[in-house]
Amino acid sequence: MRVIGTAGHVDHGKSTLVQALTGIDPDRLKEEKARQMTIDLGFAWMTLPSGLDVSIVDVPGHEDFIKNMLAGVGGIDLAMLVVAADEAVMPQTREHLAILDLLHVRRGVVALTKIDLIEDEEWLALVQEDVRETLRGTILEDAPIVPVSARTGVGLDELRTTLDRLLADIPPRPDVGRPRLPIDRAFTVTGFGTVVTGTLSDGTLQVGDEVEILPRGVRGRIRGMQTHRRSIETADPGRRLAINVSGVDVDEVARGDVLVAPGTYRPTFLVDATLSLLPDTPKPLRHNAEVDFFVGASEVMAHVRLIGVRELRPGERAYVQLRFDRPVVVARDDRFIIRQPSPSRTLGGGRILDPHPGRRWRRFREPTLARFRLLDEGDPLELLLETLRRHEPAATEQLLAQSTLPVETARAALEKGVREGRIRALADGTLLSAEGWRAYAERLQHLLREYHAQHPLRLGMPREEAASRLGLSPKQFAALRDMFCEEGWLTEENGWVRLSHHQVRLSPEQQAAVDQLLARFHEHPTRPPSVAEAVRLVGEEVLALLIARGDLVRVSREVLFLPETYAHLVEGVQALIRERGRVTVAEVRDTFETSRKYAVALLEHLDERRITRRVGDVRVLR
């Protein structure tokens, strides 16, 4: 499916030509028929000789309705510039051509209409030369010129063949998995509800899909879709669609809104962009100038922040930030037009570099200019890395969503970055730039060096504390920790992380106290010293070390066991319950020749570990 858009001066026969080609009158409003002038967008369709189905968007040519014209030309594949042979090139011919040039509509044909009114062949040749001169230096410089008469039918077959040939050379619209449809009409149909129309880009839609209307944020579901009055179940990029949306009232949607898959696009009040001013603009554009901004089918007031220049002169190009009065929905590489609000005239246009810059830039700083140059000229990997550095660590899907690149381009750049070692991919899918990777390694090493100096008797820093101090989630830290451990400089033991060379060394006095304490545990394994007694003998720091490295097992605030004693007690309690079906505190006390304090502490600990379960005054196995 392809979309053709008309362009040209008022009363040069655009709508009449469309009706002659398709048999459909694109003028649908009563006022249009009464005034015999197109006011709003019109739509028609036809099948070309090759069998290709095409949609035609017919736009108004009068200068008063340029804003309506702009709502229709954003999604076209090919322009049909209409010039009347009896009048030749006129003011709106030039303005429409400038708009097509700014929007980079790369394919086009000139339909030289009303040739039935011209009897002088020399005049017709002069008009063609005038058209060719007007096209020179524009994106449509090599467009073919086809003389036609909508009244007699002369040249219509040649025009259809020319359209067919030009469209065959255009590659299909990319499907990047993020469908969006700028809405150019919204209305209700009795018995069906809200219907919106537009040209689909960037992804596929299906009947039944949930959709979101941005920037309003209302959600609905696709109840049905039509193209050329035929119902379809699936629509691919480049197709003109009428979509019946359930769950959305017609008052909740308007021209300029965008229908998208939920979660794929975000409205923005600020964008980074390039901007070119038309050579015939009467005066330079000043910093913070107020303009009308047009993208897709939307129109919004914007202020232009010039980056790196104090003013933008006619015919020049510059980097800009555009600040909007209300949110818009755009993607990287979208083309836009700006117009002077009063008196109304087209000033220029440009390309979106970053739809979500996140901040206003200082205008004359070299890092700011370098960033804009990177966005404008950099290769996809550099652009992806620039985004990653702002959001790292980032999940793969998060990075692809934040990137200004098309998804497939971003994926290819990501693969290249991983291959070249410029992007580090962790086991859980978290991504870091090589610089970010080194920065986290250096920060963790610094943290641990300080921690080891402050707490020489601790095995290391608790991993939860390490994650928190690095500003990472437990999942992100775990993935990063595993990679650092593979590099050999980091070790984790029992929930503690340390530099691999870190060793705890006790003084001779401390070691003697430890030996004395452990001897007492061996002397009375089931009635060992309490925590308080152990602290009095070796101190809190040393006792914490013994527990951390597994020399002692803590089962309650007051009770410790040797690890071999603890294992013997756990196995013994389980054996007792399997033999008797249940066990009491007294039975545990007597069986293991301990006291009630130790028996209660042990059984409550086993309850917490979900090995046993208390039922009244007895324990059973879970």
Side-chain angles (χ1 to χ4, degrees), residues 97-98 100-101 132-143:
L97 180 59
L100 295 174
D101 207 36
R132 185 60 64 200
E133 181 61 31
T134 302
L135 296 179
R136 190 164 291 121
T138 74
I139 206 164
L140 298 184
E141 183 172 10
D142 297 323

Side-chain angles (χ1 to χ4, degrees), residues 200-255:
L200 179 63
S201 65
D202 297 340
T204 300
L205 290 176
Q206 291 185 321
V207 172
D209 282 353
E210 185 181 6
V211 293
E212 186 175 16
I213 308 293
L214 295 178
R216 300 163 189 259
V218 295
R219 293 201 178 192
R221 194 168 295 277
I222 297 179
R223 183 179 180 182
M225 293 190 294
Q226 285 192 355
T227 185
H228 303 171
R229 295 184 182 167
R230 299 193 309 269
S231 294
I232 58 174
E233 292 293 316
T234 302
D236 49 5
R239 189 178 290 270
R240 281 288 309 176
L241 292 174
I243 301 179
N244 180 201
V245 186
S246 63
V248 176
D249 191 85
V250 72
D251 295 332
E252 298 178 296
V253 60
R255 173 179 287 178

